[in-house]
Structure formats: structure tokens, C-alpha cells
Amino acid sequence: MWANEEGCLNYRWEYDQFHKAAKYQNDIQDKQRPDAGMKANTDERDAYAEEAKKLLDGSKPWRPTWQALGLSYDRTGLGKSSTSS
């Protein structure tokens, strides 16, 4: 079939890529079906569950969104004394 070992590696890569592409196409087609809105997104559900486990066991610290994004809500300058008339 293949004359050298490199050819066998190419065959394996093509086999893997073919099946990954077929799965991707099936997933896209399933998402475009008329009843797709009624089905739960299991990929997102699994990702949320994994993140929740990390938060609960302490391996990932919880931070409010504004801190995670690096925003600063230092509102000391918003008091009445800082307004100019």
C-alpha cells in the first residue's frame, strides 16, 4: 500500500482529519435543524460544569467579571465634593 513509513503517517493523518471534518459537518447540520433551538447545548453545559467543579474545589479562584477583565471601579472621584459647579 504505502512504500515508506511517512506514507503511513500521512494515511493516519488523513483518516483522522476525515473523521474530524465529518463530525464537524454533522454538528453544524444538527445546529441548523428546525428543532435545534429546543435541544440543550451539551458542549456549553459540559464546559460550565467543568468550570464550576474547578471553582468549587478551589483550583480556580473566583473573581467578579469586572476584576477578571481588569476594570477598576474606584469611585472615590464621584462624590459630591468632587463635582465642579
Side-chain angles (χ1 to χ4, degrees):
M1 189 146 92
W2 296 98
N4 59 17
E5 188 174 319
E6 183 178 319
C8 291
L9 292 175
N10 286 339
Y11 169 74
R12 185 68 188 163
W13 181 85
E14 290 172 2
Y15 178 85
D16 291 342
Q17 287 300 99
F18 172 81
H19 287 287
K20 286 179 186 177
K23 182 183 180 314
Y24 174 77
Q25 289 172 355
N26 286 337
D27 290 344
I28 294 296
Q29 289 174 357
D30 287 344
K31 289 178 183 177
Q32 293 177 348
R33 293 175 52 118
D35 63 344
M38 301 300 291
K39 296 181 180 178
N41 188 334
T42 55
D43 293 336
E44 284 184 10
R45 182 181 286 179
D46 294 341
Y48 282 126
E50 186 64 32
E51 290 296 314
K53 286 178 187 175
K54 288 179 184 177
L55 289 172
L56 290 173
D57 69 12
S59 63
K60 181 177 180 180
W62 179 85
R63 295 185 300 168
T65 303
W66 63 272
Q67 285 180 351
L69 294 175
L71 302 175
S72 175
Y73 283 109
D74 181 19
R75 297 178 181 251
T76 58
L78 297 177
K80 287 185 180 182
S81 63
S82 67
T83 59
S84 58
S85 307

